Structures are given as structure tokens and as C-alpha cells.
Amino acid sequence: MKIYETVIGLEVHVELATKSKIFCRCSTAFGAKPNTQICPVCAGLPGALPVLNRQVVEDALAVGLAMHCEISEVSRFDRKNYFYPDNPQNYQISQLYAPLCRNGFVEIETTAGRKRIGIHEIHMEDDAGKHLHDPASGLTLVDYNRSGVPLIEIVTEPDFANADEVVAFLEQLRLMVRYLGVSDGKMQEGSMRADVNLSVREAGCEVLGTRTEMKNMNSFAAIRRAVTAEAARQIAILEQGDVVVQESRRWDEDTGTSYSMRSKEDAQDYRYFPEPDLPPIVVSEEWKARVRAALPEFREEKRARYLKEYEIPAYDIEILTGSKKLADLFEEASALCGQPKKVSNWLMGETMHLLSERGLDADDLTFSANHLADLIGLIDRGEIGQTVAKQIFLRIFKEDVDPVAVVRAEGLATVRDADKLNEVVETILHSNPKSVQDYLKGKTKAIGYLVGQAMREMKGQADPNVIREMLKERLEEERE
Amino acid sequence: MEKLFQDALALSAAVRGGEVSVTEVVEACLSRIEKSEPALHGFITVDAEGALSQAKEMQKKISSGEMRGPLAGVPIAVKDNISTWGLRTTCASRMLADYVPVYDATAVAKLRDAGMIVIGKTNLDEFAMGSTTETSFFGVMKNPWDLSRVPGGSSGGSCASVAAGEVPLALGTDTGGSIRQPSAFCGVVGLKPTYGTVSRSGLIAYASSMDHIGTIAGSVRECAALLDVIAGKDEKDSTAAERCKQSKQGNAYTDHTDNTTFLSSTSQTDLQGMKIGVPQQYLSTDVNPQVKDAVLAAAGALTYAGAEVEMFDLPMTDEAIAAYYVIACAEASANLARFDGVKYGHRAASYQDLHEMVRRSRSEGFGAEVKQRILLGTYVLRAGFYEDYYLKAQLAKEQIAKAFAEAFERYDVILTPTAPTTAPKLGESLADPLAMYLGDVDTVAVNLAGLPAISVPCGLDSQGLPIGLQIIGNHFREDQILRVASAYEAIRGEFMSPCDTAEERPS
Amino acid sequence: MREEIIETARLAQLDFTEDELTQAEVQLGRMLAYVNRLSKLPAGESEDAPAHVNVFREDVVRDEGLATEIIAGAPEARENQFVVPKTFANE
């Protein structure tokens, strides 16, 4: 049995989260009624001309610099010509001859250690509209709301050897674009799409095998399955002495197989030529420096720094650095209250629980670090107990309330007034004679029940240890 | 009224002075059009209703003093490849026979802001591809000087309608000579400004890197005044030039936003110290000898005004047409790809599937010349041919620009014939397309280099057909060409129109 | 040559009749022969730095209010969407 190795390259499209489209001022907001976010430019009306959104260039530069790319001194747009109804001009404005970024790299963590993945180039382009096939009428309906949404395409070198590496890269890319705030990188929602170029060859062979292009994987899991299946399919073909056909294939998640995309009309010749309606882009050293300086600390560096600076477990660090929002909250709150472990516990525990309950993402968090820090301070000083703290935290999570103000205004502080407490102790002892008898007979555990009752009576605003002591004292008095 | 129609600036002054109302002017214009149209066929759409209603509006603004511009109240014809909101814009094609734009071209919006009245849309070669206005889906146009001849193209309608006195002013477009050549054939003045001077937003694109909107009128002054109205940077057009910077040659130049108007350049008629170059390649044996003589006579006249004129060698003239057609057709093939029956325009009546619908709609919608140019353009962009044709053409374009730049280091303006012949007979040109393309030899290089140029009538040939003199300037130096053109006009004196009133026109 | 033209016409989504194809062959042939004079120019890209560069607009949304008119101009529309016939190889 021969040994084969797999060679994989990726073409990843990332939808940028700018407010307006790449070449016109239409909104990119999701969920609008069909053809309500269109104008002469993105609907391809005669005479309409594109005008470039500066933010798209800024975002693309940020991604390029974060991936250690060279930025082309002069970069241009090109027309990619092909006929398809979701493409209103029947050409896409992309970059072929002079893309914005080239020759970068990203380092991923694999089971075998760190691996460098080459980035061939990154370029900007406009997205197409959407078409929906309506089986009932046999017609296709076209909506141009998404036409003109800005995309960056990241093309890697064929440096991946297996599905794990591909997924590791995509997860890192997703995190990177979220850290940068340029995209939410959600495969399921289509803001990140990956096409897989895969070929196989006998181990040690220097020549690359024939590759196929696979599309339509909508999750990391689907990509993993598709890569595995395609490598196997190609190996099986070669084993039989047959030849792999160069083609585009479509992954079907339901059946776990791919099929050849019946070519609509044979090969496409895109006839790229420079876009005459858009002047070239020249990125000065100052511009590059400014973008570079504004790059956030990414996950890898943050993780390394946390390991050194904070005494919290590596597992906690993984989770906290998994979202820039979460990491920022952690750092800020820790700086304010000086208790990183406690901050981490609140974020990893209650916060995660509430997020998952509501089907939300860490990036959706809206409460402020100082309120969390204040809450921890209140607990530390014994001003409130755990139960009350949890209740207040829920309100911080939902409405970002100021815990100090709330405790004061609603009188939620733990009661320390001896008279008040005595009152409650008396009440509890009187209303629970059986437990009292049980205790006096020797069931010391019965005091737990009484403590619980007292705490309930106090709505949690008491220190259970103090209550326990007071109850014990009174019970012992009873004994005599 | 007759006299007024001969000078748009005087016409506007009369309107603003209360001597005549806007409505009267528009009505006079409409009746002139009505009389001439059956013979001429210069208009695809005449918007009588719209024009009269615009006239009422404009009159209010003029009477109140709100509208005071030098061309307020003047009716104007707009070439039918320039979008006019709510008014059919066809590009003389079956593809857009019923297309009504939902927005105004920026140039048109500026016309309205200046108080001008859009009277109608003029005939052109289909999608501006042609030199005779014979490829129009809406019927062939005639030259008012001789109805058996073409008016030139592609802005034939705009030029002929001004020549025939139907309208005092018109907007045209020029990609390879389409304003200048028909202006020459029709005996009117046609001005193509520096690339990027007038916004292309709303101009239905033929060749994006060489399309220009320009002005057509009976005199240089009127052309300049009209350019003042429509010129200017536009946020909707990324190629609209920033005129506030130094040109490559380091000359100071006119920035019309800066209180210096194009119109002001037409008052200086002394050419003392001006150096004029005449490239010998443009006066070669292919040029009609009467045209050649007229141009040389004009050059002589200019020395009378104080200029120094000499012949010189302008290289790269040979490659200009080849480069032009490769680039223009390549860009056109992509610009016209949007016409597929999906969003607007002609859609085939029957088809089995999407691809058939697209192919039928396009094949039915486009005329033969358009299909030919799309074919050529698609071909030269194909993998395997791109380097040989398109890239070489771009290289030639650059070298042509360089050749002109070097010439402008020695000369202030360059003088040539606008066309190697006078107006050909109807039907003559389409028989041999390549020969027809070669007729653009005097004008295309200017588009490749993006330079400003103006055509001014300089005589009649033995058959009584007008001859055009072309004056080419350096980038952003409209002031120079306007100055020379005005000086020439002053020396030449009145140039007759085909007939002074519509009644005298041969039909 | 004819094969080339048929393929080019397919890329341009244009139908030509047999007669038109013959005519196109002649025309295109002549044009290509004419533009071939460009081949004597040396190969290579231009070294000129472009003059007009970096034209941008800010990332601000503006609704031109033309969406309704645009869809109203469709040859065929349904539920505010442009209608096209099915491609025979649907994706």
C-alpha cells in the first residue's frame, strides 16, 4: 500500500463589516426586504460609476499587516468578466494583477508543533447579489441587496497537509478578524467562506498532483469532513490507476459526499483587465505605520502575556483570550479590583452560563468592567453575600447596573446589626421546634436547616457563618 | 428670435432682461425642430411637454432674480447616451428603446441648476460606436449642408441640430472624435475638454478611459460658456480630475472653480508669443487636398494674429488607431455586458433557459456594428491574446501621451485638420468598416492622451461642405485652445450656417 | 479562425447567424491584421508612477431613495425581486 500525502491550499472570502458597500453608499445591514438596499451603482444601471470606500482599504491593510504581508506600493482593481444574473454588471471588480497584499504568513498550532502557513495574497473585491430558485414556479428570483458588500479574499500557499491544520488556520483567522473588528467571521452566516484546493501525491514525490476545488462547506466540521473525504476519493482514484480530473466540486453536507459541478458552459475565461473607473491605490509608509500601530494584540501574544502576568490556569486563559471583548473585560476588571482569579471565575462561570442560555456570543457582552470590579469589591468587603451577588450580577449582565448604587438604593447589604439578627434567630427557633429538638437530641446537622431558613428569611442578606454561630449559641442556651 | 438663436449668451441676456420669456424661447425652439426634423432626423426624443413645464419653472426663477447665470433660459439638446431623469435615454439602440433613467447624469443636473432647458435627446451612432450616425436604431440622420450626406458621428444629432438652427447649444460625447468630427462635417464648434473635466456619472459608457462629455455650439464663446456650466469634480466619478494641481509640465493653468472661467479665455485674441505646431503626419497624402489647404490657410491666418507656426514631427501617429480600437472595444465589451435583459432594457420574447434569454436579448438588442466591436473587444482580452493586443495597446497609449507631452514642451497648441475629408455620402462608409475607422486618424490620439481639443470651421470645400480645424492643447490648458480658437474666429469672420432659417432649408 | 470567433461569441453571450459569422471572420481578421502593428512595440509594463491615485469616500451610509424605481424598471419582477428563467445547471 502506497503512502500518500495531501496538499491543500485555501481561498477564504471574508465579508467586511463596514456600514456601507465597497463602491456605493448603500447600507450593508442584514435582513432587509429584497432590493431595498440598492442604487444605480450596485444594481448595475447604465452610467453608474464605482467610488471606493476608504474603510475597506483600511480593513484589508489591517488584515494584511496582521498576516505579515508585503503591501504593494501601487495596487489596482481589475474587472473579472463573466455572465451571471447575481452579478449586475456581469463583471466583478476584483484585483488580479496588483493585489493589495502579498507574501505573508500565519503560524498555527498543530499537534506536531507550530507550523507556518504562507499567504500568497490578499485582495479586495465586491460580493454578488443573491439568487433564489423557486421550485414552484421554476423561476429564479434575484436580490441585489448583497451586491457590492465588501469582501477580502485571502489566498494561502498550498501548505496544509490535513484537515486539522486547515481548521486550526480557519479558527485563528476567524479570531483575528474578530479581534480586528473588521468582520464577525461566521461561516454559518456566510461572512466567512472557504474554498478548498486539494491534491494528493505519493509521499516524497515532488510534483503536485491534479487538484480539485471544493465549495459549499458552511462550518468547520463540514470542512473537516470534506477534506478527509476528498483526499480519500482522490487516493482511491489513483490507486485504481485512474487520473484525477481537475474540476470544481460541491460538498453536500447531508450525504457527506461531493459531486462535480456540471459546468454551465465549459471553461470560463475571465478576461481580466484593469478597471478604468477606479484610480490605483498608493499606500504610503505613513499610512502603513498608522495601521500597524493600531493593530491590537492578537490572541497568541495575549495568551503568552497572560501566562506570565496572571496567576490563572492555562485553561482559563484559552477561554478568556477566545474573544477580544472577554479579554478586554478581564484585563480592565482585574486592573480595577486587583483580583484576576475572581474576575476570571465570574467570566468563565456565571457569564458563560448566561451567554449560552441566551444563545449569545462573548462578543455580544455589553456590561462594563468597572461594574464587575465593583461587584467583586462588595463581596470582598463582606458587604454582600453570594446569593445577593449572583442576583446583582444578572442585572449587570442584562442592564449593566451599577452594583454599589443598587445595593445602597435597595438596601441589599448584608445585615450586621446584632439586634436585627437576634430577632431573626429568635423567629426561626420559634417556628422550627422540631429542628430545635433534633439538634438538642444530638442531630447537629439540623442546624444547617435552621441556617438555611434564617438566610431565606433574611433574603440572603446575612452572613451564614454569623447566623450559624448565633443559632448555636442560642441552642446551647436552650440546652441548659 | 432668429438673431437670438445665433448666440446663446445673447439669448440668455434677453431672457434675463425680460425682453423675451423662456416659454417663448422654448416654443420657438420646438417649432424650429418640428420644421427641420422630417428632413434631418436629428432627434430621437423631443420632450415638448417637459420643456414647456421646465420653461414655466425657470421663468419664475429668472423673474425673481434667483436664476442669473449666463445661460439661464437657454434650450439645449442632449445626446441620447447621457442619462436624463424621467426622459427616455436610448443610446440609439433597440436594447434601450424604452429605457427611462431614474437619475440625471451629473452634467445634466448642472444644466438644470444653471437654468437651462433640456429640449430633447439627439441621435447618435448606436452606443456611440461609429463615425457617421448611420448605425442608429432610430434611423439615419442627414447633414443639414447636404441631405445626401452624413452629419458625422457619433454625436451627429447634436451637431446637426445646432448647425440647422434647431437649438443653440448641445451636449455631445467624444471617445475617439465623436464631438469634433461631426462638428467639422456640420460646420459648428465642438469642444472636448481634458479627460476628467466633466463627470462621467450618467454617461452610458462606451470606453471608460476615453469617454468625454463636451460642448457643441455655433461659436467658441458659447462652447466655453457651456463648459463652465458642466465642468467640475464629482464625488460620483472617481476619474473626475482634481483640477487644482500642477500639470506634469509645471505650467500654471486654469482652474475654473477659482473665478477663472473658460469663457474668460475667449476674450483674448492676441496671439503674440504663442507657438503653434503642425504635425506633418496629419497633413499626409491621405488627407483631402482641399482640407489640407484650408488648414494651412488657417495656420497662416494665425500668424497674422501674432503666433509662430511651424511644422514638426509627431511620432506614434501610426499606432494610434490600432491602440484606440483595441482599448475602446475591450472596455466596451465589459461596459455593455450589463445589458442582458435581467434588470432593464430589451428582453427577448421567448427562451428556454437563462443563457438563451441573455443571448437572444443581447443579439436582438444590439446592432451589427456594436456586436462587431464587442466581439473584437472580447477577443483581445482573451487569455493568450491579452499580452499581444491589450497590453501593447496600453503601451502605445502611453507612448502617444509622451509624444504629445514632448511636443507641448516646444509648442503651446497643436494644429491639425479635424478629419482627413469632408462629409461622405450616406451609405458609403459602412461598406468598409476598417476604412471608416481610419477616418478617425486625426482625432483618436487626442483621446488616448486625454488632451483637450476643439474643432472650429475653417472653410468650405468645392462642394460647399464645411472643413474643420482642430486645435489641441496640453492637459488642463483649455485656456490656450480657446484663446487660439477665438482668435481664429475673429480673423475668419462669420461662418455661414447651412441656411439662416428653417424655411430656406432644402428638403 | 471561425472556431475562435464562435468561442469569443459564446464568452460575449452573443448569437451570430452563419452569414454574420462569415462577415465577422472577415472583419475581425482585417482588424487584427491592422492592430498587429502594435506588436513591434517592445514588451513590458510601464514604469510611470500614476498621477491620479487614492480617490476614496468615507464609510457613511446614504440612501439615494431610488430602490423602488430601480426594481420598477425590471422587465419582469415578482415580490420585489428580478425574475430570470432557470439556468439549466443551477447552483
Side-chain angles (χ1 to χ4, degrees):
Chain A
M1 173 76 173
K2 293 187 211 147
I3 309 227
Y4 290 91
E5 62 184 24
T6 315
V7 177
I8 305 167
L10 293 179
E11 282 164 28
V12 186
H13 287 89
V14 175
E15 211 176 87
L16 296 177
T18 55
K19 298 198 272 284
S20 60
K21 295 184 179 182
I22 185 173
F23 296 125
C24 67
R25 287 204 178 92
C26 289
S27 166
T28 55
F30 224 82
K33 284 214 188 79
N35 290 310
T36 52
Q37 283 170 192
I38 60 173
C39 74
V41 180
C42 58
L45 257 49
L49 298 170
V51 184
L52 181 58
N53 181 342
R54 181 201 300 273
Q55 191 61 48
V56 173
V57 185
E58 295 270 356
D59 290 353
L61 280 174
V63 174
L65 290 171
M67 290 181 150
H68 312 103
C69 290
E70 290 160 23
I71 306 297
S72 300
E73 234 180 274
V74 181
S75 155
R76 289 183 174 83
F77 284 97
D78 301 301
R79 291 190 185 173
K80 177 180 181 181
N81 300 284
Y82 65 97
F83 280 84
Y84 208 61
D86 61 3
N87 191 345
Q89 292 110 306
N90 287 315
Y91 59 81
Q92 181 189 34
I93 299 180
S94 177
Q95 298 186 288
L96 178 74
Y97 298 113
L100 188 67
C101 317
R102 283 191 243 236
N103 299 333
F105 65 87
V106 166
E107 288 189 354
I108 57 171
E109 291 286 345
T110 71
T111 47
R114 287 180 85 69
K115 179 169 180 174
R116 185 172 273 212
I117 302 293
I119 302 295
H120 183 72
E121 54 112 334
I122 303 177
H123 68 259
M124 302 171 281
E125 59 187 32
D126 56 348
D127 204 356
K130 291 260 174 291
H131 64 279
L132 265 171
H133 183 60
D134 176 22
S137 59
L139 298 171
T140 303
L141 305 174
V142 185
D143 170 18
Y144 291 123
N145 279 354
R146 307 309 294 161
S147 155
V149 165
L151 298 175
I152 49 172
E153 182 175 338
I154 299 163
V155 181
T156 74
E157 299 291 356
D159 288 344
F160 299 98
N162 57 55
D164 283 340
E165 291 179 5
V166 169
V167 174
F169 172 84
L170 289 170
E171 282 176 340
Q172 193 163 313
L173 174 60
R174 179 173 177 276
L175 206 54
M176 174 189 289
V177 298
R178 290 163 77 99
Y179 259 69
L180 284 169
V182 303
S183 171
D184 56 22
K186 291 184 176 160
M187 285 200 79
Q188 280 85 344
E189 286 178 20
S191 53
M192 192 162 104
R193 306 162 219 165
D195 293 343
V196 172
N197 294 319
L198 187 152
S199 65
V200 297
R201 61 185 174 187
E202 279 188 51
C205 179
E206 299 212 341
V207 180
L208 285 173
T210 308
R211 70 164 201 254
T212 60
E213 185 189 33
M214 183 92 74
K215 295 172 180 282
N216 197 42
M217 288 81 67
N218 297 325
S219 65
F220 293 154
I223 291 196
R224 192 183 287 280
R225 278 192 280 276
V227 166
T228 312
E230 180 60 10
R233 187 189 74 90
Q234 288 194 16
I235 290 172
I237 289 175
L238 294 180
E239 284 284 279
Q240 287 186 327
D242 274 332
V243 164
V244 173
V245 173
Q246 180 172 355
E247 60 189 354
S248 285
R249 299 181 69 83
R250 191 181 165 81
W251 177 252
D252 184 339
E253 183 62 6
D254 295 330
T255 60
T257 56
S258 64
Y259 54 91
S260 178
M261 280 163 60
R262 185 167 26 140
S263 52
K264 308 177 262 304
E265 285 197 333
D266 302 296
Q268 267 295 5
D269 180 351
Y270 294 116
R271 291 160 281 131
Y272 287 90
F273 72 97
E275 170 58 80
D277 290 332
L278 291 170
I281 303 167
V282 170
V283 180
S284 63
E285 287 303 319
E286 289 78 26
W287 192 356
K288 259 192 276 185
R290 189 171 41 77
V291 176
R292 202 179 266 119
L295 290 178
E297 180 188 45
F298 286 106
R299 209 264 189 98
E300 298 69 47
E301 302 143 290
K302 215 182 261 297
R303 192 202 272 132
R305 182 167 64 81
Y306 282 19
L307 276 170
K308 279 207 292 241
E309 281 180 27
Y310 300 104
E311 306 238 310
I312 55 174
Y315 176 72
D316 288 24
I317 293 180
E318 276 307 295
I319 304 292
L320 292 171
T321 58
S323 148
K324 182 165 191 292
K325 197 62 181 284
L326 206 57
D328 286 347
L329 268 173
F330 168 71
E331 287 184 57
E332 273 178 61
S334 300
L336 286 168
C337 72
Q339 311 254 29
K341 187 73 183 90
K342 294 196 179 156
V343 173
S344 172
N345 285 344
W346 276 103
L347 292 175
M348 306 259 306
E350 270 308 291
T351 309
M352 284 309 192
H353 168 70
L354 290 169
L355 283 173
S356 115
E357 224 177 44
R358 288 159 172 72
L360 293 170
D361 222 70
D363 286 321
D364 299 322
L365 290 172
T366 50
F367 66 83
S368 14
N370 60 316
H371 289 167
L372 176 56
D374 287 344
L375 183 71
I376 292 173
L378 286 167
I379 301 169
D380 269 359
R381 290 191 296 279
E383 284 180 46
I384 56 172
Q386 273 301 115
T387 324
V388 171
K390 258 183 133 165
Q391 289 164 4
I392 297 180
F393 182 74
L394 178 60
R395 292 163 68 181
I396 292 178
F397 181 91
K398 292 211 301 219
E399 297 147 45
D400 199 20
V401 300
D402 176 348
V404 173
V406 158
V407 164
R408 189 173 309 136
E410 298 172 29
L412 300 174
T414 299
V415 175
R416 304 236 172 245
D417 182 330
D419 292 331
K420 268 242 156 61
L421 291 174
N422 274 319
E423 246 183 76
V424 173
V425 165
E426 293 302 323
T427 316
I428 293 303
L429 289 172
H430 270 114
S431 6
N432 295 281
K434 186 167 185 308
S435 299
V436 172
Q437 289 310 310
D438 285 344
Y439 179 82
L440 292 173
K441 284 205 199 114
K443 266 201 193 162
T444 44
K445 290 216 174 98
I447 199 173
Y449 178 75
L450 293 170
V451 171
Q453 289 298 98
M455 289 301 290
R456 215 176 64 160
E457 181 67 25
M458 292 292 305
K459 293 201 183 60
Q461 287 175 229
D463 186 340
N465 296 320
V466 170
I467 296 285
R468 180 184 284 269
E469 284 311 307
M470 290 177 79
L471 279 168
K472 234 169 138 180
E473 249 188 77
R474 282 292 287 109
L475 285 164
E476 291 306 324
E477 278 171 25
E478 284 288 314
R479 214 191 275 279
E480 282 137 21
Chain B
M1 189 66 79
E2 276 314 314
K3 213 153 183 293
L4 285 178
F5 259 69
Q6 280 166 27
D7 183 344
L9 291 159
L11 179 57
S12 176
V15 169
R16 282 177 286 124
E19 287 166 46
V20 64
S21 76
V22 186
T23 305
E24 280 175 275
V25 171
V26 170
E27 279 171 351
C29 188
L30 288 169
S31 87
R32 294 163 84 102
I33 292 172
E34 214 185 301
K35 287 211 182 81
S36 304
E37 271 302 281
L40 218 55
H41 200 43
F43 279 85
I44 293 177
T45 307
V46 179
D47 185 22
E49 207 183 297
L52 287 166
S53 116
Q54 285 172 60
K56 281 212 195 86
E57 277 306 307
M58 226 30 87
Q59 186 61 60
K60 282 193 208 132
K61 293 192 177 155
I62 289 174
S63 303
S64 73
E66 187 191 326
M67 192 62 80
R68 287 173 298 175
L71 290 174
V74 176
I76 181 167
V78 174
K79 186 174 177 182
D80 208 15
N81 60 350
I82 300 174
S83 301
T84 42
W85 175 70
L87 184 61
R88 179 173 79 146
T89 300
T90 68
C91 294
S93 177
R94 183 179 178 197
M95 181 61 84
L96 294 178
D98 300 310
Y99 171 69
V100 179
V102 300
Y103 70 105
D104 261 340
T106 299
V108 172
K110 284 178 170 244
L111 290 178
R112 301 194 208 271
D113 285 344
M116 299 180 76
I117 315 286
V118 176
I119 270 277
K121 310 302 292 295
T122 54
N123 209 351
L124 60 152
D125 279 301
E126 189 181 357
F127 280 104
M129 299 182 188
S131 316
T132 60
T133 312
E134 288 176 295
T135 63
S136 166
F137 175 68
F138 290 89
V140 171
M141 259 213 76
K142 319 279 176 56
N143 189 323
W145 290 81
D146 177 344
L147 297 174
S148 69
R149 293 179 182 269
V150 301
S154 60
S155 305
S158 287
C159 294
S161 61
V162 169
E166 286 180 314
V167 280
L169 299 171
L171 287 188
T173 71
D174 188 316
T175 304
S178 293
I179 285 177
R180 293 161 286 150
Q181 183 249 47
S183 295
F185 286 179
C186 291
V188 293
V189 181
L191 171 60
K192 180 199 86 60
T194 310
Y195 182 77
T197 297
V198 180
S199 167
R200 287 185 300 117
S201 174
L203 165 56
I204 299 179
Y206 157 23
S208 318
S209 67
M210 298 185 284
D211 283 346
H212 302 68
I213 294 179
T215 61
I216 296 154
S219 73
V220 175
R221 273 181 79 236
E222 292 166 276
C223 268
L226 185 53
L227 186 61
D228 278 318
V229 171
I230 61 172
K233 199 154 149 68
D234 182 16
E235 58 173 17
K236 290 194 177 137
D237 178 358
S238 306
T239 60
E242 181 67 73
R243 288 184 69 109
C244 297
K245 57 186 195 321
Q246 285 277 310
S247 71
K248 278 204 197 124
Q249 278 61 44
N251 301 327
Y253 42 71
T254 317
D255 176 0
H256 86 289
T257 61
D258 198 26
N259 289 328
T260 337
T261 60
F262 293 116
L263 180 58
S264 64
S265 299
T266 61
S267 49
Q268 239 211 335
T269 51
D270 169 23
L271 299 181
Q272 208 59 244
M274 195 154 247
K275 287 204 171 62
I276 300 179
V278 180
Q280 59 203 28
Q281 283 84 356
Y282 283 66
L283 289 178
S284 71
T285 46
D286 293 328
V287 180
N288 177 307
Q290 291 181 57
V291 169
K292 193 168 164 179
D293 287 341
V295 169
L296 289 171
L302 289 170
T303 56
Y304 183 73
E308 274 174 57
V309 181
E310 67 181 36
M311 300 277 275
F312 76 104
D313 187 36
L314 183 64
M316 290 302 292
T317 308
D318 231 21
E319 285 81 350
I321 295 208
Y324 168 77
Y325 273 99
V326 167
I327 295 171
C329 293
E331 293 179 359
S333 72
N335 285 328
L336 268 63
R338 67 190 63 202
F339 301 108
D340 56 5
V342 173
K343 310 160 290 280
Y344 41 75
H346 176 75
R347 182 182 241 188
S350 71
Y351 38 80
Q352 303 271 36
D353 59 43
L354 173 68
H355 293 289
E356 208 184 326
M357 182 200 89
V358 171
R359 292 172 74 134
R360 287 236 175 116
S361 304
R362 288 168 65 76
S363 306
E364 289 170 10
F366 293 137
E369 181 62 26
V370 170
K371 282 164 87 166
Q372 269 301 118
R373 296 201 190 192
I374 293 176
L375 200 66
L376 176 63
T378 307
Y379 187 93
V380 300
L381 290 175
R382 283 183 57 186
F385 304 134
Y386 179 76
E387 282 80 17
D388 293 333
Y389 296 109
Y390 186 84
L391 283 185
K392 295 262 165 149
Q394 287 291 355
L395 207 61
K397 182 173 190 251
E398 260 170 47
Q399 293 190 6
I400 289 166
K402 275 207 183 86
F404 273 107
E406 277 168 29
F408 282 116
E409 272 166 21
R410 298 192 329 260
Y411 305 107
D412 296 306
V413 302
I414 292 171
L415 209 68
T416 77
T418 307
T421 65
T422 52
K425 286 233 183 257
L426 288 162
E428 230 174 54
S429 317
L430 292 184
D432 188 349
L434 184 56
M436 181 174 73
Y437 295 172
L438 291 173
D440 291 334
V441 66
D442 293 334
T443 48
V444 294
V446 168
N447 295 77
L448 287 164
L451 300 167
I454 189 169
S455 175
V456 182
C458 68
L460 297 175
D461 73 0
S462 55
Q463 290 167 298
L465 299 168
I467 298 170
L469 175 72
Q470 178 175 237
I471 303 161
I472 305 167
N474 204 356
H475 288 106
F476 306 118
R477 296 314 305 266
E478 283 81 353
D479 63 316
Q480 303 272 49
I481 61 174
L482 288 170
R483 191 174 150 201
V484 173
S486 306
Y488 176 70
E489 248 184 354
I491 300 166
R492 179 201 72 197
E494 277 263 354
F495 190 81
M496 50 185 270
S497 49
C499 35
D500 278 341
T501 65
E503 287 84 337
E504 290 167 20
R505 184 163 301 109
S507 49
Chain C
M1 183 56 162
R2 204 172 179 88
E3 288 308 311
E4 294 288 6
I5 295 195
I6 292 174
E7 173 63 10
T8 305
R10 181 186 73 78
L11 287 172
Q13 293 286 286
L14 290 173
D15 284 333
F16 283 82
T17 63
E18 282 303 308
D19 282 341
E20 284 174 328
L21 273 176
T22 312
Q23 213 188 354
E25 227 180 316
V26 172
Q27 283 240 67
L28 196 61
R30 290 185 71 206
M31 276 306 298
L32 290 174
Y34 180 77
V35 303
N36 222 19
R37 63 190 51 207
L38 294 172
S39 64
K40 61 176 155 69
L41 293 169
E45 309 231 340
S46 98
E47 322 99 29
D48 288 344
H52 187 54
V53 300
N54 287 357
V55 179
F56 303 127
R57 65 171 168 90
E58 300 310 308
D59 186 26
V60 174
V61 172
R62 186 164 77 192
D63 183 0
E64 309 234 346
L66 295 174
T68 320
E69 281 108 317
I70 292 174
I71 184 76
E76 213 187 310
R78 180 192 288 223
E79 289 158 43
N80 225 49
Q81 290 164 89
F82 296 88
V83 170
V84 296
K86 185 181 161 158
T87 13
F88 63 82
N90 231 353
E91 284 187 282

